[in-house]
Amino acid sequence: MTPPTDTTTDTTTTTETTPVIPLPLGAALALTTTGALLSAASTFLSWTWTTAFPGNLTVNGYPGGLQLLTLTGALLTLALTLATRGTPGLRWLNPTRRHDATAYLAAGTLATTWYTLIAIAVQLGGLANLEPGGYIAALATLLTLTGALGLPIDRRTTASYPHNGRLAALPAPLATALRATHRTVRPGRTDRPLPAARPLPSWAEILLIAAAFGTALCLVTYGIGTGYGELFTGFLILAAFGTLALRKAGIVTRLTELTTKHRNITITAAFVAAALFPLTQSTDQYTLIAVNILIFSTVALGLNIVVGLAGLLDLGYVAFLGVGAYTAALVSGSTASTLGVHFPFWAAVLTGAAASLVFGVVIGAPTLRLRGDYLAIVTLGFGEIFRITVGNLNGESGPSLTNGPNGIPNIPDLILFGYNFGSTHSLGGITLSPFANYYLLMLLITILVVLVFSRAGNSRIGRAWIAIREDETAATAMGINSFRLKLLAFALGATLAGLAGTVQAHVAYTVVPEQYVFAGPVPPNSAFLLAAVILGGMGTIRGPLLGAALLYLIPAKLQFLHDYQLLAFGAALILLMRYRPEGLIPNRRQQLEFHEDATGTGTLGITKAEA
């Protein structure tokens, strides 16, 4: 009789600091430095012979268009390389003294440069349209990345091998060889503790916080103001790799320590930086995009209460935004309104929020006893019922209320305390355009929603929502009235969406049923709202704000990908679920749950109980 075979698998995870490409340290440093200098120099040469490619990359002597991104990436790569070697005056750029940040930034520079050259070849019809400067840039960025991968980089080593209970009895060389055959090395979460920061006076720390928000404002302004899709794509690529580099360098951790220490100063600086955005714009084109981003972000935060805190999958949430918008349109004095009333703005806001609250309770009361997929199907049905209903209330298929598929146009501008939001105002030498007025109003509403979310999430009710999300059966056994609390989450989320809808109606000047579909190429819709919460990070405040901003801004800027937006969107979600399922800005508990190793301890070095 053959004895049973033990097929147990041993898995060990360790951290090592080794180069990806085996090179001597001196040679790797020389390659990285030389490549970065050549990459920067290549931006002063022409990359193509014709101005048909946007950005005019035909000039010798100074960079333009996408060349500026390559120049920025090359100089930052050089600065990080010098900072890692302890160069005086640059040490603050890399507190961790690791080469990981250099590798990420070198990869970002190469990706941006090669994307530009490929775009030139595709749009102009072949590699023959590249000038020598383009080839030099391609080779120089490749040389930089090769050198950076030859530097010692922190990587995770995972050894996973089957054994039959006799591995310990094997000779040591044979056992080592067996482990090597099942060994994988890859970049991962290898967070080291940062060395102690040099003490700074409080005024210097406050100046650093202000400088950080000022830099963020400049980057956001540049990104939103990019004049064509290719430049915006290149900016996104470099920004993504640059953010990873800053995290690996420890800059993000240092700033987090400062913002935590000076919380009130940080909140004030964030508000001031956001409020200054309209002043950086010369036209209303990008201010309108910013207004819509704030509306989208506010609705996403409301959905985050339902999905992120309470764990309820709502696929028809955009309907509550529509309820608020239609209610405000009907009571704000529109010439197409069948009610014939004109409420002041504060009354229209309260009416829209109250109408969404009522709909949230009416829909939630009979459906929240369902769970999982069944609840998702019911909410999806509610969203479609709302859209079809408002399309039929035209006096023919139903009562005359919403003007059917034509919607409610001619919604008048807001007037609050005598201040007309539809007019240009000059305050203290500062000119505020109509969309700048709406932007500042929506910014105040977003701050209000953030405050509500923060207070609710940290309250006893918020902790009960999280308990329901984690395990509703266990929460009920501990005495939590799950139905009542889920209904409260549903109603609060609906109210916040209706609040944003009242402003959306006045910004767009019209509301039509097609704005409130389940899925479509233009946000906000239910699919994009849910994706914004998941992409950014469920249960957090910054996560949905970032996710909503990206999901609104990318379709608005990449018009040349209009026919493939949903394809790219789906591919991005697949990659996200594979490599970062907890979202871009996750809370600590979810990060530990998604990246827990075999020992039961998260990769951040703490357990879930400590989170």
Side-chain angles (χ1 to χ4, degrees):
M1 181 176 178
T2 305
T5 302
D6 184 2
T7 58
T8 304
T9 299
D10 286 344
T11 301
T12 58
T13 301
T14 57
T15 299
E16 64 178 37
T17 303
T18 56
V20 177
I21 300 175
L23 291 174
L25 180 59
L29 286 172
L31 280 177
T32 306
T33 304
T34 304
L37 290 172
L38 287 176
S39 299
S42 69
T43 61
F44 292 86
L45 303 174
S46 63
W47 286 8
T48 184
W49 62 274
T50 174
T51 58
F53 187 82
N56 191 11
L57 307 183
T58 66
V59 181
N60 289 302
Y62 61 88
L66 283 155
Q67 290 176 326
L68 289 172
L69 299 179
T70 298
L71 176 62
T72 302
L75 293 179
L76 289 177
T77 303
L78 179 62
L80 277 175
T81 304
L82 297 176
T84 308
R85 306 308 298 170
T87 303
L90 294 176
R91 296 173 184 173
W92 62 273
L93 279 174
N94 195 349
T96 62
R97 297 293 187 270
R98 293 189 296 180
H99 295 288
D100 298 59
T102 305
Y104 274 111
L105 205 49
T109 306
L110 179 136
T112 304
T113 304
W114 283 51
Y115 161 76
T116 304
L117 301 177
I118 293 172
I120 292 173
V122 170
Q123 290 191 25
L124 302 183
L127 294 175
N129 294 282
L130 293 178
E131 290 286 287
Y135 291 105
I136 293 174
L139 293 176
T141 53
L142 181 60
L143 182 68
T144 307
L145 181 59
T146 302
L149 293 179
L151 298 171
I153 297 175
D154 286 355
R155 299 190 289 163
R156 294 184 65 193
T157 304
T158 302
S160 177
Y161 52 90
H163 68 88
N164 58 3
R166 289 175 288 183
L167 184 63
L170 295 176
L174 183 58
T176 302
L178 179 61
R179 292 188 177 94
T181 60
H182 294 80
R183 177 176 176 271
T184 59
V185 183
R186 54 188 171 83
R189 302 173 187 275
T190 55
D191 299 311
R192 292 182 188 172
L194 284 176
R198 179 187 303 177
L200 294 174
S202 295
W203 62 266
E205 294 177 342
I206 293 173
L207 284 179
L208 286 176
I209 294 174
F213 279 102
T215 303
L217 175 62
C218 293
L219 291 176
V220 170
T221 302
Y222 178 82
I224 292 181
T226 49
Y228 46 95
E230 292 83 357
L231 182 59
F232 179 72
T233 304
F235 169 76
L236 280 184
I237 294 173
L238 187 60
F241 280 96
T243 301
L244 290 174
L246 290 179
R247 291 181 63 87
K248 290 297 182 181
I251 294 293
V252 174
T253 303
R254 285 277 194 257
L255 286 176
T256 302
E257 293 172 354
L258 291 179
T259 55
T260 302
K261 181 178 179 181
H262 302 280
R263 182 177 178 83
N264 293 333
I265 296 295
T266 301
I267 294 174
T268 303
F271 175 76
V272 170
L276 289 176
F277 172 80
L279 305 182
T280 65
Q281 303 298 308
S282 58
T283 65
D284 276 345
Q285 178 183 1
Y286 300 118
T287 306
L288 175 60
I289 292 178
V291 174
N292 287 318
I293 287 175
L294 288 179
I295 293 173
F296 191 15
S297 302
T298 302
V299 182
L301 271 178
L303 179 61
N304 198 24
I305 293 177
V306 179
V307 176
L309 294 182
L312 306 174
L313 184 56
D314 189 346
L315 298 182
Y317 187 76
V318 75
F320 298 120
L321 175 68
V323 170
Y326 265 95
T327 303
L330 289 170
V331 302
S332 294
S334 170
T335 56
S337 173
T338 58
L339 298 184
V341 296
H342 189 179
F343 288 180
F345 173 64
W346 63 268
V349 168
L350 294 179
T351 306
S356 296
L357 170 63
V358 171
F359 270 85
V361 173
V362 169
I363 299 302
T367 61
L368 287 178
R369 299 187 186 276
L370 302 173
R371 297 186 185 183
D373 298 339
Y374 300 101
L375 177 61
I377 292 171
V378 170
T379 54
L380 174 60
F382 164 65
E384 291 302 298
I385 288 171
F386 168 78
R387 181 180 61 84
I388 295 172
T389 300
V390 295
N392 288 331
L393 297 180
N394 56 0
E396 297 178 3
S397 303
S400 178
L401 183 63
T402 64
N403 203 22
N406 295 323
I408 304 177
N410 303 322
I411 301 173
D413 287 307
L414 291 177
I415 299 178
L416 185 62
F417 302 117
Y419 187 92
N420 190 334
F421 282 75
S423 302
T424 300
H425 298 273
S426 180
L427 301 176
I430 299 175
T431 301
L432 296 177
S433 63
F435 287 123
N437 298 327
Y438 283 112
Y439 172 86
L440 295 175
L441 173 64
M442 198 61 223
L443 180 62
L444 293 175
I445 293 178
T446 303
I447 293 173
L448 175 62
V449 173
V450 168
L451 181 62
V452 170
F453 182 91
S454 176
R455 296 297 184 184
N458 294 325
S459 66
R460 184 174 64 177
I461 293 176
R463 292 193 294 271
W465 284 335
I466 295 174
I468 294 171
R469 181 194 68 194
E470 297 296 326
D471 192 328
E472 184 175 349
T473 303
T476 303
M478 295 301 294
I480 294 176
N481 190 329
S482 61
F483 172 75
R484 182 181 300 174
L485 287 172
K486 288 194 296 184
L487 184 60
L488 179 60
F490 215 71
L492 180 58
T495 303
L496 297 181
L499 181 66
T502 59
V503 179
Q504 186 204 33
H506 290 85
V507 171
Y509 294 107
T510 184
V511 289
V512 292
E514 286 73 17
Q515 292 175 319
Y516 310 105
V517 297
F518 167 70
V522 179
N525 52 63
S526 293
F528 270 74
L529 285 169
L530 183 61
V533 175
I534 297 174
L535 171 67
M538 293 190 297
T540 65
I541 294 177
R542 294 175 298 167
L545 294 177
L546 176 62
L550 290 176
L551 290 182
Y552 191 93
L553 187 59
I554 291 174
K557 300 296 293 185
L558 301 184
Q559 296 294 334
F560 67 98
L561 289 178
H562 181 75
D563 294 335
Y564 305 98
Q565 282 181 8
L566 291 181
L567 175 63
F569 173 63
L573 284 182
I574 291 173
L575 293 175
L576 179 72
M577 292 299 99
R578 171 60 182 85
Y579 295 104
R580 196 172 178 84
E582 71 275 20
L584 297 177
I585 307 179
N587 62 35
R588 187 167 59 173
R589 174 180 291 275
Q590 288 185 329
Q591 192 169 17
L592 291 173
E593 289 176 351
F594 281 111
H595 298 281
E596 189 177 20
D597 60 25
T599 63
T601 304
T603 56
L604 298 183
I606 55 178
T607 63
K608 287 191 290 184
E610 293 172 334

